[in-house]
Amino acid sequence: MKEEVEKQLADEAIEAYVDWREECAGVWAAYERWAGAPVADTAGAFSAYRAALDREECASHAYADLLARIAGSKGGVAGLFARTVHALNG
């Protein structure tokens, strides 16, 4: 049972990482729309950019919170997570 919980935590952390990276891409896309917006549309484009920044910040905090939970756990999930990240980056 404990191993299942640890795997679930690792899965949640990977999902949170993906969510964060998707929000990062959204920030860049919103910035490009703002930078290229006609003068009449800059205020709206800037608001959309700020909203994208807020979503990215929220996603980054969710990811950081999960990593903190993993780092503070007494089980082997930290090692499981490290192996998973290594496999994804390998």
Side-chain angles (χ1 to χ4, degrees):
M1 182 67 149
K2 183 178 177 181
E3 186 175 311
E4 289 178 30
V5 171
E6 291 176 350
K7 286 181 181 179
Q8 180 64 33
L9 256 182
D11 288 345
E12 289 175 20
I14 291 169
E15 186 174 324
Y17 173 79
V18 170
D19 291 345
W20 170 56
R21 296 304 298 158
E22 288 174 348
E23 294 298 344
C24 289
V27 167
W28 283 106
Y31 176 81
E32 289 176 359
R33 285 190 299 274
W34 171 45
V39 173
D41 297 333
T42 56
F46 180 70
S47 292
Y49 171 63
R50 295 270 321 258
L53 284 172
D54 290 343
R55 288 189 303 273
E56 185 274 337
E57 181 181 23
C58 182
S60 72
H61 286 293
Y63 178 51
D65 290 346
L66 275 167
L67 290 184
R69 282 178 53 202
I70 289 170
S73 73
K74 301 289 185 198
V77 73
L80 173 64
F81 184 69
R83 289 190 303 276
T84 304
V85 169
H86 177 73
L88 288 174
N89 292 329

